[in-house]
Amino acid sequence: MISVVIPTGQTHALLIPTLAALVPGAATGIVREVLLVDGGTAPDVAEIADAAGCEYLHGPEDSGERLQLGARAARSQWLMFLAPAGLLQEGWTREVRGFIEQVERMGANDRRAATFRLALDGFGVAPRLREAAAVARHAITGRPRPEQGLLIHRRFHEALGGYEAGPQAARRLIAKIGRSRLVLLRSQMLLPDQ
């Protein structure tokens, strides 16, 4: 059903939990393939890909170009772009399946995309305040953090021009999608509190 594209980099140590969170999706048939697109900075990524049954693609250093390479190599019509340190939380498979079924039923494949709610890893008040600030920023601007993930149909992705080169490629694509066409799913993406 979906191809998952993960542009890897210096955070390869956090990649194993990210891949483990995808196992329920593979078990239920939602995840068709996982592509790890590496810029060559972490030698362990090819080994991790082999051990986890993922496809390894050696790509350029530029993150936008790696995302575009992953999108072109993906075989599914639905693409899900994830940060290498993002952990999808319980219930994400149901949310993704429900979103895809509803969008296809409405014939809105080329007009709707989705992202996950932000959750920051950590204890205490500080991470919760940063989460609240991110929610407020999203409510005002309609733009989530790129690390929250993106679920988009290939046709919509291509109509928007896909990812461009440059370090802000994910932010620019989210801006092109626009607030009225980006659905915030109920399930969360857990990110390291930085």
Side-chain angles (χ1 to χ4, degrees):
M1 185 179 276
I2 65 173
S3 293
V4 179
V5 177
I6 303 174
T8 60
Q10 298 296 335
T11 55
H12 70 280
L14 301 173
L15 187 57
I16 294 170
T18 299
L19 295 174
L22 294 173
V23 170
T28 59
I30 292 174
V31 174
R32 176 180 183 184
E33 65 181 344
V34 178
L35 298 99
L36 302 182
V37 189
D38 188 46
T41 57
D44 298 342
V45 174
E47 293 173 20
I48 293 170
D50 184 49
C54 302
E55 185 174 341
Y56 174 82
L57 299 171
H58 180 74
E61 287 186 32
D62 180 81
S63 61
E65 291 177 9
R66 284 198 316 269
L67 288 163
Q68 190 67 300
L69 175 64
R72 283 193 307 268
R75 294 183 301 227
S76 299
Q77 290 301 305
W78 282 96
L79 308 172
M80 187 162 73
F81 298 94
L82 298 179
L87 288 173
L88 288 166
Q89 299 297 285
E90 188 176 333
W92 74 266
T93 56
R94 184 179 59 253
E95 288 276 325
V96 165
R97 184 183 301 277
F99 172 78
I100 290 173
E101 288 173 355
Q102 182 178 11
V103 167
E104 289 181 346
R105 206 170 37 251
M106 295 169 46
N109 293 353
D110 56 350
R111 296 189 309 275
R112 289 278 189 266
T115 189
F116 298 93
R117 291 191 186 279
L118 175 68
L120 295 174
D121 200 7
F123 300 106
V125 176
R128 304 303 73 86
L129 290 174
R130 283 189 280 283
E131 286 174 358
V135 168
R137 182 175 56 249
H138 183 249
I140 293 168
T141 66
R143 295 183 186 170
R145 290 172 48 173
E147 301 89 356
Q148 288 176 238
L150 178 65
L151 176 63
I152 189 169
H153 194 275
R154 178 183 300 279
R155 190 167 47 230
F156 191 20
H157 180 263
E158 290 172 356
L160 294 169
Y163 287 98
E164 301 169 357
Q168 299 297 318
R171 288 189 192 282
R172 288 194 301 272
L173 182 60
I174 288 171
K176 285 182 190 177
I177 293 170
R179 86 180 305 149
S180 65
R181 300 186 295 181
L182 188 62
V183 175
L184 184 63
L185 300 174
R186 287 186 298 265
S187 51
Q188 295 180 325
M189 171 70 70
L190 182 68
L191 296 170
D193 186 22
Q194 301 174 15

